[in-house]
């Protein structure tokens, strides 16, 4: 049975992350992986990962941890994408559950936040299916913030 895993970004899997493709209607909704990887090299709060199905790179995720932020904003998922050819097969849900599990392993993680465009209904449904709640708050006046409570 094929296994989804979240792997540290390396020279080998980075180039595969750069080759990942989005569906045409998703291209303008998420920053390119090359931008996210560059951002992670200058912002120590960001950590990029490859999402793998066995040995095949099928997605990219970047996490953020900022210990100086308020409780709801310490743990953040600023980027998440699955290659178009692997979408709608349950891999994204499994990968996101693993990322949530990584965060939950930290005693100071009470909430996990992320954001998406308010009219990105498929992303909103996806994140809500994982337990994220739309806060109604906007990030930088353009993206809806969703919040997952992981512990009291």
């Amino acid at each position: 049975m094929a296994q989804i895993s979240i792997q540290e970004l390396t020279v080998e899997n980075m180039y595969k992350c750069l080759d990942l493709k989005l569906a045409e209607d998703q291209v303008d909704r998420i920053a390119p992986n090359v931008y996210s990887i560059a951002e992670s090299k200058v912002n120590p709060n960001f950590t990029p990962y490859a999402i793998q199905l066995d040995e095949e790179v099928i997605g990219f995720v970047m996490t953020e941890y900022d210990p100086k932020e308020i409780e709801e904003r310490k743990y953040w998922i600023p980027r998440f994408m699955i290659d178009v050819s692997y979408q709608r097969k349950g891999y994204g849900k499994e990968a996101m559950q693993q990322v949530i599990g990584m965060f939950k392993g930290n005693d100071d993680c009470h909430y996990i936040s992320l954001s998406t465009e308010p009219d990105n209904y498929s992303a909103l449904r996806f994140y809500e299916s994982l337990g994220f709640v739309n806060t109604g708050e906007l990030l930088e006046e353009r993206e809806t913030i969703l919040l997952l409570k992981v512990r009291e």
Side-chain angles (χ1 to χ4, degrees), residues 2-146:
Q3 281 291 110
I4 291 289
S5 62
I6 309 299
Q7 298 294 321
E8 184 177 323
L9 197 69
T10 64
V11 172
E12 293 79 26
N13 64 23
M14 179 192 70
Y15 291 105
K16 293 175 182 173
C17 285
L18 296 176
D19 289 337
L20 296 170
K21 304 283 184 249
L22 291 167
E24 199 172 304
D25 64 332
Q26 297 170 326
V27 172
D28 293 331
R29 294 189 180 270
I30 186 168
N33 292 344
V34 68
Y35 176 87
S36 299
I37 293 167
E39 198 173 24
S40 75
K41 296 306 158 196
V42 296
N43 185 333
N45 294 338
F46 291 144
T47 305
Y49 298 94
I51 299 170
Q52 292 188 198
L53 177 63
D54 293 330
E55 299 304 313
E56 183 82 19
V57 174
I58 66 162
F60 175 81
V61 61
M62 187 162 70
T63 63
E64 179 179 8
Y65 173 68
D66 187 347
K68 294 178 247 153
E69 267 292 350
I70 61 170
E71 197 65 47
E72 292 84 2
R73 303 272 175 95
K74 278 186 184 183
Y75 289 90
W76 197 272
I77 303 170
R79 304 286 188 287
F80 182 80
M81 66 83 66
I82 299 291
D83 186 271
V84 64
S85 60
Y86 291 94
Q87 291 179 12
R88 305 199 189 291
K89 298 179 180 185
Y91 300 136
K93 191 167 198 167
E94 172 62 28
M96 186 58 83
Q97 288 170 332
Q98 287 189 29
V99 173
I100 291 166
M102 288 168 41
F103 276 159
K104 278 181 164 179
N106 299 301
D107 290 338
D108 69 337
C109 180
H110 298 272
Y111 299 91
I112 300 170
S113 300
L114 52 79
S115 65
T116 190
E117 294 174 345
D119 66 344
N120 190 348
Y121 303 114
S122 62
L124 288 167
R125 278 192 308 275
F126 171 72
Y127 294 129
E128 288 169 349
S129 77
L130 289 157
F132 284 87
V133 175
N134 188 335
T135 65
E137 219 182 322
L138 292 179
L139 177 69
E140 297 172 6
E141 299 177 14
R142 28 170 248 251
E143 290 191 353
T144 298
I145 297 174
L146 291 99

